[in-house]
Amino acid sequence: MALPGFLGSELIPGLLRFQIRSMSQDHTLMASRYELKYLIPESIAQGVSEFIQQYLELDEFAFGQPDCSYAVHSVYLDSDDWTIYHRTLNGDRNRFKLRIRYYTEDPVVPVFCEIKRREKDVIHKHRCAVRRTAVPDILSGLEPRPEDLFNPKPQDLEALREFMRLGQTLGTGPKLHVFYQREAYVNDFNNEVRVTLDRDVHAGPRFDGLLPTVCDRPYRCSPEGLVILELKFTSRFPGWYRDLVETFSLAQTGAAKYVEGASLHLGKRQNPRDIVRGLWL
């Protein structure tokens, strides 16, 4: 199954240009942040989007795309006994996920090795943009070369080495391909506030380390007719977030895409509202 709009070199030229720049705009990565998640019906999602547009601008990667959305793909790593999955499901206080995020199969566009860690109530995200051709060596534990990185800065190399260290400690490998359509809004002047609406979340097993944008017979992870709304901020809770929640009577919940996808793959199907309730990561 392929989600429309992201098939290799058929990307809209402007979007491809931004991606080749390694998505370097500050607001695309909030390294330490809070996240509030809500499951909202599609029937009010349009109203929510219109409300948000009073305060934020559409993400440049979504601008000009059908439905103002773009595809997001991630291959998650885990151990053979699914240690990371179980830690998340159990609600361990300080937990993390390892994933390789990408947006297309085009070989000139970077992919991102990411660590997403929760420490108490704060989400920390560290990533390194690498060339697609370097992924097999990285997964094998080989020391990356400077030319494998799009931005060979010390902090990028440090993030990649920590990604590899955590993976080697747990003995992880590729396990699950998660993909969905994202509508995103950002500040036009800083990276303190970001809002996303994710639709059509699917997942399928992926053990070979490849990074495709198609998946055979994937599991549907998001409940039919529901959208995952995430309100993200780095420090102060914006007052208009409170207005948004009150206007649409939103109830905070969890929406752990990897947990739901892994649960489906492992045959532990539960109500998505129950399995992810209270999880921020």
Side-chain angles (χ1 to χ4, degrees):
M1 175 180 179
L3 294 177
F6 262 85
L7 295 176
S9 299
E10 298 174 9
L11 289 164
I12 293 177
L15 179 60
L16 180 58
R17 182 178 66 254
F18 281 120
Q19 287 181 317
I20 293 176
R21 288 169 56 193
S22 302
M23 298 188 173
S24 59
Q25 289 84 348
D26 288 343
H27 66 244
T28 63
L29 177 60
M30 300 161 66
S32 296
R33 70 193 184 203
Y34 297 90
E35 291 182 356
L36 305 179
K37 297 187 180 184
Y38 306 84
L39 290 175
I40 65 173
E42 189 65 63
S43 59
I44 72 166
Q46 181 60 41
V48 169
S49 294
E50 292 174 356
F51 189 102
I52 294 167
Q53 289 171 39
Q54 299 178 78
Y55 304 94
L56 302 177
E57 295 186 352
L58 188 67
D59 187 318
E60 69 263 19
F61 310 120
F63 186 79
Q65 292 281 19
D67 300 320
C68 298
S69 300
Y70 55 92
V72 177
H73 296 267
S74 299
V75 169
Y76 283 83
L77 311 186
D78 211 329
S79 61
D80 288 342
D81 59 0
W82 299 81
T83 297
I84 295 176
Y85 161 76
H86 288 293
R87 287 180 178 177
T88 309
L89 190 63
N90 294 336
D92 287 8
R93 190 66 173 171
N94 298 315
R95 55 188 182 268
F96 62 86
K97 290 192 178 74
L98 302 176
R99 69 190 181 198
I100 300 174
R101 173 152 290 187
Y102 56 103
Y103 303 85
T104 173
E105 294 184 14
D106 195 300
V108 305
V109 177
V111 303
F112 301 90
C113 295
E114 298 186 345
I115 307 167
K116 190 176 182 183
R117 189 192 304 269
R118 178 184 176 184
E119 295 180 357
K120 296 183 179 180
D121 294 332
V122 181
I123 300 297
H124 300 282
K125 185 176 176 181
H126 302 281
R127 71 180 184 181
C128 179
V130 303
R131 301 188 186 281
R132 177 178 287 263
T133 53
V135 170
D137 286 346
I138 291 171
L139 292 176
S140 298
L142 297 179
E143 178 74 12
R145 302 167 300 173
E147 57 267 31
D148 292 332
L149 280 62
F150 272 80
N151 296 305
K153 298 179 182 178
Q155 61 267 32
D156 291 68
L157 184 57
E158 180 182 355
L160 181 56
R161 285 174 170 164
E162 178 66 2
F163 174 91
M164 296 174 64
R165 185 192 69 81
L166 291 171
Q168 292 166 7
T169 298
L170 293 179
T172 64
K175 289 292 184 290
L176 199 71
H177 175 197
V178 177
F179 54 102
Y180 49 89
Q181 289 291 125
R182 167 159 286 182
E183 177 184 353
Y185 296 90
V186 297
N187 263 335
D188 61 352
F189 55 89
N190 62 39
N191 66 346
E192 294 183 357
V193 177
R194 179 173 171 85
V195 178
T196 58
L197 296 94
D198 295 337
R199 296 175 171 86
D200 299 325
V201 183
H202 290 77
R206 175 59 58 185
F207 306 114
D208 55 15
L210 300 179
L211 305 177
T213 55
V214 296
C215 182
D216 294 332
R217 297 189 297 275
Y219 311 108
R220 183 180 181 90
C221 301
S222 57
E224 190 73 35
L226 290 181
V227 179
I228 300 173
L229 169 67
E230 297 186 25
L231 307 181
K232 308 173 185 183
F233 58 102
T234 59
S235 54
R236 187 177 62 181
F237 182 78
W240 67 267
Y241 272 9
R242 184 176 296 104
D243 296 338
L244 173 66
V245 170
E246 293 176 352
T247 298
F248 294 95
S249 302
L250 305 181
Q252 186 181 349
T253 184
K257 302 178 182 77
Y258 174 63
V259 169
E260 177 63 8
S263 295
L264 291 168
H265 173 67
L266 296 172
K268 300 180 180 180
R269 177 61 170 155
Q270 299 182 43
N271 187 318
R273 290 183 179 274
D274 295 330
I275 196 170
V276 299
R277 187 174 299 278
L279 299 180
W280 285 26
L281 174 58

